[in-house]
């Protein structure tokens, strides 16, 4: 229940920021996002989580994002039920396909995923995405996030985020 409360609070904060902040897209360097997806490995169901991303802008088309968050993987009842969490910490490159600092983009991130369950260990994380960022700060992306540690798991989903300036 605590995880759902945190997700709802984060979503409310994102919506509040959406209505109170007015800055150009290229100057938005901090984002808060909600991730929702489906597990791509046998036995995994809904994946839900959140993240915070800071972008170091190289120019209007290229930035270096650093992302940290939490993702909760549900395990289907037919595979024992329950869930487990992963804290991904990633760095990457985000490239806008035009020079306005908004619009369509491609993103690739790599990093480490720290399991929250006892004995889960650390995984290699890779996450490609394509998305669209509006000048009002709203950002929507389709993504895949894979975790590799003595086998692989992952999820395909969407990230809905809001960006603002510090």
């Amino acid at each position: 229940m605590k995880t759902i409360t945190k997700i709802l609070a984060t979503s409310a904060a994102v919506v509040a920021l959406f209505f109170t902040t007015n800055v150009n897209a290229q100057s938005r360097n901090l984002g808060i996002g909600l991730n929702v997806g489906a597990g791509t490995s046998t036995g995994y169901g809904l994946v839900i989580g959140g993240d915070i991303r800071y972008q170091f802008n190289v120019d209007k088309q290229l930035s270096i994002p650093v992302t940290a968050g939490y993702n909760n993987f549900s395990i289907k009842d037919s595979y024992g039920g329950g869930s487990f969490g992963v804290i991904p910490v990633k760095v990457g490159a985000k490239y806008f396909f035009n020079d306005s600092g908004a619009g369509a983009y491609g993103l690739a991130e790599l990093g480490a995923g720290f399991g929250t369950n006892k004995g889960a260990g650390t995984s290699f994380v890779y996450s490609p995405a394509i998305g669209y960022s509006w000048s009002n700060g709203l950002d929507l992306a389709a993504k895949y996030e894979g975790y590799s540690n003595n086998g692989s798991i992952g999820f395909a989903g969407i990230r809905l985020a809001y960006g603002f300036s510090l």
Side-chain angles (χ1 to χ4, degrees):
M1 227 25 201
K2 286 183 177 182
T3 302
I4 297 297
T5 303
K6 290 177 186 177
I7 291 168
L8 290 175
T10 301
S11 299
V14 169
V15 170
L17 288 169
F18 176 73
F19 288 109
T20 61
T21 306
N22 184 16
V23 181
N24 291 331
Q26 57 268 24
S27 66
R28 296 174 190 273
N29 53 3
L30 185 66
I32 298 174
L34 174 66
N35 298 297
V36 178
T40 57
S41 302
T42 303
Y44 296 100
L46 179 68
V47 178
I48 190 164
D51 62 40
I52 187 164
R53 175 179 291 158
Y54 186 83
Q55 293 184 161
F56 298 93
N57 296 323
V58 175
D59 60 28
K60 286 186 178 183
Q61 284 186 279
L62 181 65
S63 64
I64 307 299
V66 177
T67 308
Y70 175 81
N71 290 316
N72 186 53
F73 285 76
S74 65
I75 301 170
K76 294 178 181 177
D77 289 340
S78 58
Y79 289 87
S83 67
F84 70 92
V86 178
I87 299 170
V89 178
K90 306 172 286 187
V91 65
K94 182 177 185 180
Y95 181 78
F96 284 95
F97 299 119
N98 65 47
D99 62 359
S100 71
Y105 64 84
L107 171 71
E109 294 178 296
L110 301 173
F114 304 96
T116 60
N117 294 23
K118 186 175 181 174
T122 303
S123 302
F124 171 70
V125 179
Y126 51 98
S127 183
I130 55 170
Y132 194 91
S133 181
W134 287 267
S135 59
N136 64 2
L138 196 58
D139 188 306
L140 181 64
K143 65 182 281 181
Y144 175 79
E145 189 156 302
Y147 299 87
S148 181
N149 177 6
N150 297 326
S152 294
I153 63 166
F155 72 93
I158 59 169
R159 178 181 188 262
L160 177 62
Y162 183 74
F164 54 96
S165 296
L166 288 178

